[in-house]
Amino acid sequence: ISGVAIYTGMETKMALNYQAKSQKRSAVEKSMNVFLIVYLCILISKALINTVLKYVWQSEPFRDEPWYNQKTEPERKRNLFLRAFTDFLAFMVLFNYIIPVSMYVTVEMQKFLGSYFLTWDEEMFDEDTGEGPLVNTSDLNEELGQIEYVFTDKTGTLTENNMEFVECCIEGHVYVPHVICNGQILHDCTGIDMIDSSPGGSGKEREELFFRALCLCHTVQVKDDDSVDGLKKNQLSRRSCIYISSSPDEVALVEGIQRLGYTYLRLKDNFMEILNRENNIEKFELLEVLSFDSVRRRMSVIVKSSAGDIFLFCKGADSSIFPRVKEGKIEQIRSRVERNAVEGLRTLCVAYKKLTAEEYSNAQKLLQNAKLALQDREKKLAEVYEKIERDFILLGATAVEDRLQEKAADTIEALQKAGIKVWVLTGDKMETAAATCYACKLFRRNTQILELTTKKIEEQSLHDVLFDLSKTVLRHSGSLTRDTFSGLSTDMQDYGLIIDGAALSLIMKPRQDGSSGNYRELFLEICRNCSAVLCCRMAPLQKAQIVKLIKLSKEHPITLAIGDGANDVSMILEAHVGIGIIGKEGRQAARNSDYAIPKFKHLKKMLLVHGHFYYVRISELVQYFFYKNVCFIFPQFLYQFFCGFSQQTLYDTAYLTLYNISFTSLPILLYGLMEQHVSADTLKREPSLYRDVAKNALLRWRAFIYWTFLGVFDAVVFFFGAYLLFDNTIVTSNGQMFGNWTFGTLVFTVLVFTVTLKLALDTHYWTWINHFMIWGSLIFYIIFSLLWGGIIWPFLNYQRMYYVFMQMLSSGPAWLGIILLITVSLLPDVLKKVLCRQLWPTATERIQNASRHCREHISEFTPLACLKSPGYRSSDCSNSPARRSNSHSKKTMFTHWKGVDYSVLPSVFGYSNKPCRSSAGYRFSGSGLETSV
Amino acid sequence: MAVNYSAKEEADGHPSGGVGVPGGGAVGGSGGAVKTRKPDNTAFKQQRLPAWQPILTAGTVLPAFFIIGLIFIPIGIGIFVTSNNIREYEIDYTGTEPSSPCNKCLNVSWDSTPPCTCTINFTLEHSFESNVFMYYGLSNFYQNHRRYVKSRDDSQLNGDNSSLLNPSKECEPYRTNEDKPIAPCGAIANSMFNDTLELYRIDNETRVLVPLIKKGIAWWTDKNVKFRNPTGDGNNLTALFQGTTKPVNWPKPVYMLDSEPDNNGFINEDFIVWMRTAALPTFRKLYRLIERKNNLQPTLQAGKYSLDITYNYPVHSFDGRKRMILSTISWMGGKNPFLGIAYITVGSICFFLGVVLLIIHHKYGNRNTSADIPN
């Protein structure tokens, strides 16, 4: 044999679970693009309007070509349509600044530089592992502030994936290794605590078999510390070797058994060597390995002892072992296993059977055939496994503890308060997973658990189960429309849903009669009303499926998937934001993720603080960019009406070029990096503030239109203010007149100041850098203008700006006009801000006010109190009409189903986690309740 | 029940973030030394720079509104009063109405000889006390048309000899005439205003010429820096402009604009004033100054005056109008009611808003603060 290829290509598990990485775009980017299209339409319509008006206006020849302004011969001869088209293009060029090209550059810079703050964050650095957060893509920074669903893996993410052998139960007797050593190999622990008295006779034999089974039935590899004289050293110090396995459970088991006296030494020439309690080395020939897979959920080995007996040891999940057991103390073990599972321990059952040589040769033959099969190999193998692995004798069960990550519960609680729904997706069995969920406060004591499991589906049909569940959920939430903050009010009944992989695949499976949509919808409806969902027994691809299901549901929520293992990669790739934990199970997840963090607890700061900041920063940045370009270009547009639609620019070329590059770019970039509208500590302390920015609140159409209109208003003020100032009057004290460039410079000066001061008004966090940038860019503008107009520039073929700025500054009315126009254009925005803050403050604004007061008089405050006050409102988010139509569609959907209690209807008006509530929303839900009763 | 991938090994060997991770590489020197990966605890990196955190609340904005109101209203009143004290007199001498003395000149063309003249009598009700500025105004004249604005050659006007003989392409179609370069080239220069206005005071049926000063009407920098005559041997402008031709519409070449050498050629002030293109289609340009002679008499007494116009400039073809304006000037320029009214209005609005905010602040402010600070 010159080479063997084992598990390569597309048939490997890795490849099968692999998903093509699709490009991820953030919600902000999407709305940015939509806004851009709007502006493109505005640009084109502006150019069209001006072109049409130009030709209407020019229809009289004395306007088209007055005696003082003749065209050249070629111009005159040009075709009318060609001329019109050229004019159209010229207008496009003139107005093209309304499309903020520089915005894309700034946004990219903001994202790239901003992501450094994440990696620099000391609090997100993990001392133990020496790892800090990693940013693999900076495109999704702001998406971290928009998360509505968190899908988290359990093992290694919520829990430490630091397996620790807790106990084993042999024939109903419980053994506990008496030193809890956190999975580390301790050198002097050989003792065993036996809760029950030592069993006699057959019990003893079973016990030894059990230990041997655990020692043999695994795929652990031994790595010697010192490979030269490894064996010797091993014998002397007994344990200087390291166990390596793809599954930490196995390592924990082998190490646990080691502490109970049986040490697995190595696999040599197909012989497994075991050091037993009497320090003798036992050798077993490894005949077959029936490897683990997630469908069977068990693995087996066939070994031949030195005595010649052939054993089949099997280890696996209780649900896959118990049906195959024919003898053993099933009841006692089962109860123990269940107890352990409830405590959140990972349990495995161990069973064996003795094979005669004949049986073995049969089995071997079958295996051989199956392995060599060219078609349906997997299916055949599974069949063979099914045949071989039965009629077991139950030996016992093991329990391995996977400890919760530090502050996992705290993090989950905070996320739920922030209005984020947390789903746990795990491959573990239901009981174990549920226990972990209780431990990390995903489920609380008063959470009513709904189960959608294979067991239940076997009893009733899927249809009935789903309807029952939806009825419970919807009826209840129907009577609780008023209550909206599931995370905050403890008196509210909330639901937790548990679903397993099999049930999920039933739901996802397309029906023959084409009614599959209904199940999905119904399932989503149930999920929407549950505060927490646990999906257990999930295959990696199923995890991605779930994420996709939620992602594509009709609200299009923003999802985040977090996981640490290779099995989470597909869901990490599927979700809007994928987060990898730099954990024990390799770097697969961290490398495929968008962001990687060392611990689950860091998710809290990442979302609530960094995400929130990033979102607030970039949304202001985007809106501001559109705003400042409207302010910039709209006066040009207006000027066309006064210059015969001749595409005459209002501003000098230098100003046109530098406006976006130097005069107004740095302050907003800095805002995009530094702004903290609320302090980071407050954001962390008050997760509910996250709801204020949920659902892309700052980039809604309302906000966009507000900013655009503000821009248009300001532009009108600039232009007509200057117009009225200049129109047919003298504005100098020496009687001399100003020309068109002075006019444009005046407008431009007002523009630069207004736009910069507008940003200054929006800045809530003035560090010295902000001061430097904002005042610096204004000073730069002045210095530049002085310089630009102060010299006859030899390389220019026009000197139109010569002394224009200085002359303007020497005129009193120009100063007065500039001050007046700046004041007038800033006034409405200030007024809007103050009034909104005073009359309809958002939670964020309340906190800001409160912390202000707090700074003034030193007093404790509990911001939670203010959140409960009924006037709670999120800025610009009261889109009750949209929600209304939503509700109606649901209503019609409901009426189609017969047998549904009509009283469930009110529920549709109040899903538990509405991120923004307006007073209008309240009123509406109230009326909805009345009509249905 | 973790999955059996052998992904484990990957964890070793890579000192983290080496896999093309933009963030990772940059942190802590990226040299691979694992210990230095811990981020620095600086205020900047931890986003904890000391900062001033202002919040716009009714409380903080209130004083600002009142202050703006209190400052703007007096300024506005001041401007308004100043503006009202300014004397301004305007005559439209286009002559479109048949009754107008200039009606006969309405259809003049550039080359009409002898030039058409007309006289308009008017009466000043009030005397003009301080220096008076005489303007001509044009309406419907698009000096800001793009084709017009760019139709000039600044280096030619700056005295550059090569541009003088080879003007910029922008000047087309007023660049050359009969194969000779035009100086000054371009549409602006070509269409220079060339009416002559003379003002007479009618004192007991006798016409007394009011002396008009033609210097000091252009920006100092324009006259002394931006506009320069071509340089060469001697000061003979005729020689310096050798090889160029006059603009098509001009009756005389540029070196014959004025008799005084420091007001002739490109540095002729009437020419410079005209070359500064106006912002809007209705504009006025400074024509002459009338200085106050002594402190006893006003510059222009109330009484009868007559304006003699040499009507050369045709505006009827494009529906334009021509005006003559006499105005006094204060520190804030000529008559402009807009600024004063705007200041008063904005000041009043601010004051009013201040009052509204005060009410709101009192009515709603207490509720908010009490909700925020439960003590």
PDB file of all heavy atoms in Angstrom, chain A residues 363-385:
ATOM      1  N   ALA A 363     -20.445 -10.804  12.835  1.00  0.00           N
ATOM      2  CA  ALA A 363     -20.488  -9.343  12.897  1.00  0.00           C
ATOM      3  C   ALA A 363     -19.395  -8.734  12.035  1.00  0.00           C
ATOM      4  O   ALA A 363     -19.611  -7.761  11.312  1.00  0.00           O
ATOM      5  CB  ALA A 363     -20.322  -8.895  14.350  1.00  0.00           C
ATOM      6  N   GLN A 364     -18.239  -9.363  12.122  1.00  0.00           N
ATOM      7  CA  GLN A 364     -17.114  -8.830  11.353  1.00  0.00           C
ATOM      8  C   GLN A 364     -17.405  -8.869   9.861  1.00  0.00           C
ATOM      9  O   GLN A 364     -17.121  -7.931   9.112  1.00  0.00           O
ATOM     10  CB  GLN A 364     -15.871  -9.632  11.679  1.00  0.00           C
ATOM     11  CG  GLN A 364     -14.611  -8.916  11.257  1.00  0.00           C
ATOM     12  CD  GLN A 364     -13.431  -9.843  11.217  1.00  0.00           C
ATOM     13  OE1 GLN A 364     -13.614 -11.069  11.178  1.00  0.00           O
ATOM     14  NE2 GLN A 364     -12.248  -9.292  11.246  1.00  0.00           N
ATOM     15  N   LYS A 365     -18.014  -9.981   9.482  1.00  0.00           N
ATOM     16  CA  LYS A 365     -18.327 -10.144   8.072  1.00  0.00           C
ATOM     17  C   LYS A 365     -19.300  -9.054   7.614  1.00  0.00           C
ATOM     18  O   LYS A 365     -19.127  -8.410   6.582  1.00  0.00           O
ATOM     19  CB  LYS A 365     -18.934 -11.532   7.848  1.00  0.00           C
ATOM     20  CG  LYS A 365     -18.473 -12.184   6.550  1.00  0.00           C
ATOM     21  CD  LYS A 365     -18.958 -13.619   6.461  1.00  0.00           C
ATOM     22  CE  LYS A 365     -18.186 -14.595   7.336  1.00  0.00           C
ATOM     23  NZ  LYS A 365     -18.860 -15.901   7.491  1.00  0.00           N
ATOM     24  N   LEU A 366     -20.300  -8.895   8.464  1.00  0.00           N
ATOM     25  CA  LEU A 366     -21.289  -7.856   8.115  1.00  0.00           C
ATOM     26  C   LEU A 366     -20.640  -6.481   7.996  1.00  0.00           C
ATOM     27  O   LEU A 366     -20.881  -5.723   7.050  1.00  0.00           O
ATOM     28  CB  LEU A 366     -22.383  -7.795   9.193  1.00  0.00           C
ATOM     29  CG  LEU A 366     -23.400  -8.915   9.189  1.00  0.00           C
ATOM     30  CD1 LEU A 366     -24.249  -8.848  10.454  1.00  0.00           C
ATOM     31  CD2 LEU A 366     -24.286  -8.813   7.958  1.00  0.00           C
ATOM     32  N   LEU A 367     -19.817  -6.187   8.980  1.00  0.00           N
ATOM     33  CA  LEU A 367     -19.154  -4.880   8.970  1.00  0.00           C
ATOM     34  C   LEU A 367     -18.289  -4.711   7.741  1.00  0.00           C
ATOM     35  O   LEU A 367     -18.304  -3.669   7.092  1.00  0.00           O
ATOM     36  CB  LEU A 367     -18.277  -4.734  10.216  1.00  0.00           C
ATOM     37  CG  LEU A 367     -18.992  -4.324  11.485  1.00  0.00           C
ATOM     38  CD1 LEU A 367     -18.051  -4.413  12.665  1.00  0.00           C
ATOM     39  CD2 LEU A 367     -19.528  -2.905  11.346  1.00  0.00           C
ATOM     40  N   GLN A 368     -17.574  -5.793   7.457  1.00  0.00           N
ATOM     41  CA  GLN A 368     -16.675  -5.738   6.314  1.00  0.00           C
ATOM     42  C   GLN A 368     -17.442  -5.432   5.034  1.00  0.00           C
ATOM     43  O   GLN A 368     -17.072  -4.565   4.258  1.00  0.00           O
ATOM     44  CB  GLN A 368     -15.951  -7.093   6.201  1.00  0.00           C
ATOM     45  CG  GLN A 368     -14.688  -7.040   5.381  1.00  0.00           C
ATOM     46  CD  GLN A 368     -13.628  -6.154   6.045  1.00  0.00           C
ATOM     47  OE1 GLN A 368     -13.627  -6.036   7.277  1.00  0.00           O
ATOM     48  NE2 GLN A 368     -12.784  -5.551   5.249  1.00  0.00           N
ATOM     49  N   ASN A 369     -18.543  -6.157   4.904  1.00  0.00           N
ATOM     50  CA  ASN A 369     -19.357  -5.954   3.710  1.00  0.00           C
ATOM     51  C   ASN A 369     -19.853  -4.515   3.608  1.00  0.00           C
ATOM     52  O   ASN A 369     -19.812  -3.898   2.551  1.00  0.00           O
ATOM     53  CB  ASN A 369     -20.562  -6.912   3.720  1.00  0.00           C
ATOM     54  CG  ASN A 369     -20.127  -8.303   3.359  1.00  0.00           C
ATOM     55  OD1 ASN A 369     -19.071  -8.494   2.758  1.00  0.00           O
ATOM     56  ND2 ASN A 369     -20.915  -9.301   3.748  1.00  0.00           N
ATOM     57  N   ALA A 370     -20.342  -4.087   4.758  1.00  0.00           N
ATOM     58  CA  ALA A 370     -20.914  -2.737   4.741  1.00  0.00           C
ATOM     59  C   ALA A 370     -19.845  -1.696   4.435  1.00  0.00           C
ATOM     60  O   ALA A 370     -20.071  -0.748   3.690  1.00  0.00           O
ATOM     61  CB  ALA A 370     -21.577  -2.440   6.084  1.00  0.00           C
ATOM     62  N   LYS A 371     -18.689  -1.903   5.018  1.00  0.00           N
ATOM     63  CA  LYS A 371     -17.635  -0.915   4.826  1.00  0.00           C
ATOM     64  C   LYS A 371     -17.156  -0.880   3.382  1.00  0.00           C
ATOM     65  O   LYS A 371     -16.699   0.144   2.902  1.00  0.00           O
ATOM     66  CB  LYS A 371     -16.434  -1.225   5.734  1.00  0.00           C
ATOM     67  CG  LYS A 371     -16.603  -0.698   7.142  1.00  0.00           C
ATOM     68  CD  LYS A 371     -15.391  -1.014   7.970  1.00  0.00           C
ATOM     69  CE  LYS A 371     -15.621  -0.691   9.427  1.00  0.00           C
ATOM     70  NZ  LYS A 371     -14.635  -1.364  10.283  1.00  0.00           N
ATOM     71  N   LEU A 372     -17.230  -2.041   2.762  1.00  0.00           N
ATOM     72  CA  LEU A 372     -16.748  -2.089   1.385  1.00  0.00           C
ATOM     73  C   LEU A 372     -17.832  -1.746   0.374  1.00  0.00           C
ATOM     74  O   LEU A 372     -17.578  -1.704  -0.821  1.00  0.00           O
ATOM     75  CB  LEU A 372     -16.178  -3.467   1.088  1.00  0.00           C
ATOM     76  CG  LEU A 372     -14.907  -3.783   1.873  1.00  0.00           C
ATOM     77  CD1 LEU A 372     -14.433  -5.191   1.572  1.00  0.00           C
ATOM     78  CD2 LEU A 372     -13.820  -2.780   1.535  1.00  0.00           C
ATOM     79  N   ALA A 373     -19.040  -1.578   0.877  1.00  0.00           N
ATOM     80  CA  ALA A 373     -20.127  -1.294  -0.055  1.00  0.00           C
ATOM     81  C   ALA A 373     -19.835  -0.001  -0.806  1.00  0.00           C
ATOM     82  O   ALA A 373     -19.292   0.952  -0.252  1.00  0.00           O
ATOM     83  CB  ALA A 373     -21.444  -1.164   0.719  1.00  0.00           C
ATOM     84  N   LEU A 374     -20.178  -0.036  -2.059  1.00  0.00           N
ATOM     85  CA  LEU A 374     -19.906   1.149  -2.866  1.00  0.00           C
ATOM     86  C   LEU A 374     -21.077   2.112  -2.869  1.00  0.00           C
ATOM     87  O   LEU A 374     -20.928   3.296  -3.078  1.00  0.00           O
ATOM     88  CB  LEU A 374     -19.566   0.729  -4.293  1.00  0.00           C
ATOM     89  CG  LEU A 374     -18.241   0.000  -4.405  1.00  0.00           C
ATOM     90  CD1 LEU A 374     -18.026  -0.478  -5.824  1.00  0.00           C
ATOM     91  CD2 LEU A 374     -17.097   0.893  -3.973  1.00  0.00           C
ATOM     92  N   GLN A 375     -22.246   1.522  -2.660  1.00  0.00           N
ATOM     93  CA  GLN A 375     -23.423   2.391  -2.670  1.00  0.00           C
ATOM     94  C   GLN A 375     -24.090   2.348  -1.294  1.00  0.00           C
ATOM     95  O   GLN A 375     -24.099   1.314  -0.631  1.00  0.00           O
ATOM     96  CB  GLN A 375     -24.424   1.909  -3.719  1.00  0.00           C
ATOM     97  CG  GLN A 375     -23.946   2.245  -5.114  1.00  0.00           C
ATOM     98  CD  GLN A 375     -24.781   1.599  -6.154  1.00  0.00           C
ATOM     99  OE1 GLN A 375     -25.546   0.677  -5.837  1.00  0.00           O
ATOM    100  NE2 GLN A 375     -24.618   2.024  -7.384  1.00  0.00           N
ATOM    101  N   ASP A 376     -24.615   3.460  -0.921  1.00  0.00           N
ATOM    102  CA  ASP A 376     -25.346   3.541   0.349  1.00  0.00           C
ATOM    103  C   ASP A 376     -24.520   2.997   1.499  1.00  0.00           C
ATOM    104  O   ASP A 376     -25.045   2.327   2.383  1.00  0.00           O
ATOM    105  CB  ASP A 376     -26.668   2.768   0.287  1.00  0.00           C
ATOM    106  CG  ASP A 376     -27.587   3.346  -0.745  1.00  0.00           C
ATOM    107  OD1 ASP A 376     -27.460   4.564  -1.002  1.00  0.00           O
ATOM    108  OD2 ASP A 376     -28.406   2.607  -1.294  1.00  0.00           O
ATOM    109  N   ARG A 377     -23.275   3.297   1.479  1.00  0.00           N
ATOM    110  CA  ARG A 377     -22.434   2.701   2.505  1.00  0.00           C
ATOM    111  C   ARG A 377     -22.917   3.085   3.892  1.00  0.00           C
ATOM    112  O   ARG A 377     -23.012   2.273   4.790  1.00  0.00           O
ATOM    113  CB  ARG A 377     -20.993   3.150   2.322  1.00  0.00           C
ATOM    114  CG  ARG A 377     -20.057   2.475   3.306  1.00  0.00           C
ATOM    115  CD  ARG A 377     -18.678   3.025   3.185  1.00  0.00           C
ATOM    116  NE  ARG A 377     -18.166   2.856   1.850  1.00  0.00           N
ATOM    117  CZ  ARG A 377     -17.150   3.564   1.341  1.00  0.00           C
ATOM    118  NH1 ARG A 377     -16.563   4.474   2.091  1.00  0.00           N
ATOM    119  NH2 ARG A 377     -16.720   3.364   0.125  1.00  0.00           N
ATOM    120  N   GLU A 378     -23.264   4.345   4.013  1.00  0.00           N
ATOM    121  CA  GLU A 378     -23.656   4.799   5.336  1.00  0.00           C
ATOM    122  C   GLU A 378     -24.898   4.100   5.826  1.00  0.00           C
ATOM    123  O   GLU A 378     -24.993   3.680   6.971  1.00  0.00           O
ATOM    124  CB  GLU A 378     -23.889   6.299   5.314  1.00  0.00           C
ATOM    125  CG  GLU A 378     -22.699   7.031   5.852  1.00  0.00           C
ATOM    126  CD  GLU A 378     -22.816   8.500   5.604  1.00  0.00           C
ATOM    127  OE1 GLU A 378     -23.903   9.050   5.876  1.00  0.00           O
ATOM    128  OE2 GLU A 378     -21.829   9.078   5.115  1.00  0.00           O
ATOM    129  N   LYS A 379     -25.810   3.969   4.914  1.00  0.00           N
ATOM    130  CA  LYS A 379     -27.070   3.328   5.292  1.00  0.00           C
ATOM    131  C   LYS A 379     -26.812   1.882   5.709  1.00  0.00           C
ATOM    132  O   LYS A 379     -27.314   1.407   6.728  1.00  0.00           O
ATOM    133  CB  LYS A 379     -28.018   3.373   4.080  1.00  0.00           C
ATOM    134  CG  LYS A 379     -29.481   3.296   4.444  1.00  0.00           C
ATOM    135  CD  LYS A 379     -30.338   3.411   3.187  1.00  0.00           C
ATOM    136  CE  LYS A 379     -31.483   2.453   3.249  1.00  0.00           C
ATOM    137  NZ  LYS A 379     -32.037   2.182   1.932  1.00  0.00           N
ATOM    138  N   LYS A 380     -25.973   1.242   4.929  1.00  0.00           N
ATOM    139  CA  LYS A 380     -25.697  -0.153   5.235  1.00  0.00           C
ATOM    140  C   LYS A 380     -24.950  -0.292   6.554  1.00  0.00           C
ATOM    141  O   LYS A 380     -25.258  -1.156   7.361  1.00  0.00           O
ATOM    142  CB  LYS A 380     -24.880  -0.779   4.102  1.00  0.00           C
ATOM    143  CG  LYS A 380     -25.758  -1.113   2.922  1.00  0.00           C
ATOM    144  CD  LYS A 380     -24.957  -1.679   1.782  1.00  0.00           C
ATOM    145  CE  LYS A 380     -25.879  -1.928   0.598  1.00  0.00           C
ATOM    146  NZ  LYS A 380     -25.145  -2.062  -0.638  1.00  0.00           N
ATOM    147  N   LEU A 381     -24.022   0.626   6.739  1.00  0.00           N
ATOM    148  CA  LEU A 381     -23.279   0.590   8.003  1.00  0.00           C
ATOM    149  C   LEU A 381     -24.237   0.764   9.174  1.00  0.00           C
ATOM    150  O   LEU A 381     -24.161   0.040  10.168  1.00  0.00           O
ATOM    151  CB  LEU A 381     -22.239   1.702   8.019  1.00  0.00           C
ATOM    152  CG  LEU A 381     -20.814   1.324   7.615  1.00  0.00           C
ATOM    153  CD1 LEU A 381     -19.926   2.542   7.644  1.00  0.00           C
ATOM    154  CD2 LEU A 381     -20.263   0.242   8.521  1.00  0.00           C
ATOM    155  N   ALA A 382     -25.125   1.706   9.030  1.00  0.00           N
ATOM    156  CA  ALA A 382     -26.076   1.947  10.107  1.00  0.00           C
ATOM    157  C   ALA A 382     -26.896   0.703  10.396  1.00  0.00           C
ATOM    158  O   ALA A 382     -27.158   0.350  11.553  1.00  0.00           O
ATOM    159  CB  ALA A 382     -26.988   3.111   9.732  1.00  0.00           C
ATOM    160  N   GLU A 383     -27.284   0.042   9.308  1.00  0.00           N
ATOM    161  CA  GLU A 383     -28.072  -1.185   9.508  1.00  0.00           C
ATOM    162  C   GLU A 383     -27.272  -2.218  10.261  1.00  0.00           C
ATOM    163  O   GLU A 383     -27.769  -2.879  11.183  1.00  0.00           O
ATOM    164  CB  GLU A 383     -28.507  -1.735   8.152  1.00  0.00           C
ATOM    165  CG  GLU A 383     -29.696  -1.003   7.565  1.00  0.00           C
ATOM    166  CD  GLU A 383     -29.897  -1.341   6.090  1.00  0.00           C
ATOM    167  OE1 GLU A 383     -29.214  -2.270   5.603  1.00  0.00           O
ATOM    168  OE2 GLU A 383     -30.713  -0.676   5.454  1.00  0.00           O
ATOM    169  N   VAL A 384     -25.995  -2.335   9.850  1.00  0.00           N
ATOM    170  CA  VAL A 384     -25.149  -3.331  10.506  1.00  0.00           C
ATOM    171  C   VAL A 384     -24.968  -2.997  11.965  1.00  0.00           C
ATOM    172  O   VAL A 384     -25.098  -3.859  12.840  1.00  0.00           O
ATOM    173  CB  VAL A 384     -23.782  -3.416   9.786  1.00  0.00           C
ATOM    174  CG1 VAL A 384     -22.841  -4.316  10.552  1.00  0.00           C
ATOM    175  CG2 VAL A 384     -23.980  -3.926   8.384  1.00  0.00           C
ATOM    176  N   TYR A 385     -24.718  -1.706  12.217  1.00  0.00           N
ATOM    177  CA  TYR A 385     -24.560  -1.286  13.612  1.00  0.00           C
ATOM    178  C   TYR A 385     -25.799  -1.645  14.404  1.00  0.00           C
ATOM    179  O   TYR A 385     -25.719  -2.152  15.518  1.00  0.00           O
ATOM    180  CB  TYR A 385     -24.337   0.227  13.679  1.00  0.00           C
ATOM    181  CG  TYR A 385     -22.987   0.699  13.202  1.00  0.00           C
ATOM    182  CD1 TYR A 385     -22.777   2.026  12.865  1.00  0.00           C
ATOM    183  CD2 TYR A 385     -21.909  -0.192  13.116  1.00  0.00           C
ATOM    184  CE1 TYR A 385     -21.546   2.470  12.438  1.00  0.00           C
ATOM    185  CE2 TYR A 385     -20.670   0.250  12.677  1.00  0.00           C
ATOM    186  CZ  TYR A 385     -20.497   1.575  12.333  1.00  0.00           C
ATOM    187  OH  TYR A 385     -19.276   2.014  11.911  1.00  0.00           O
TER     188      TYR A 385
END
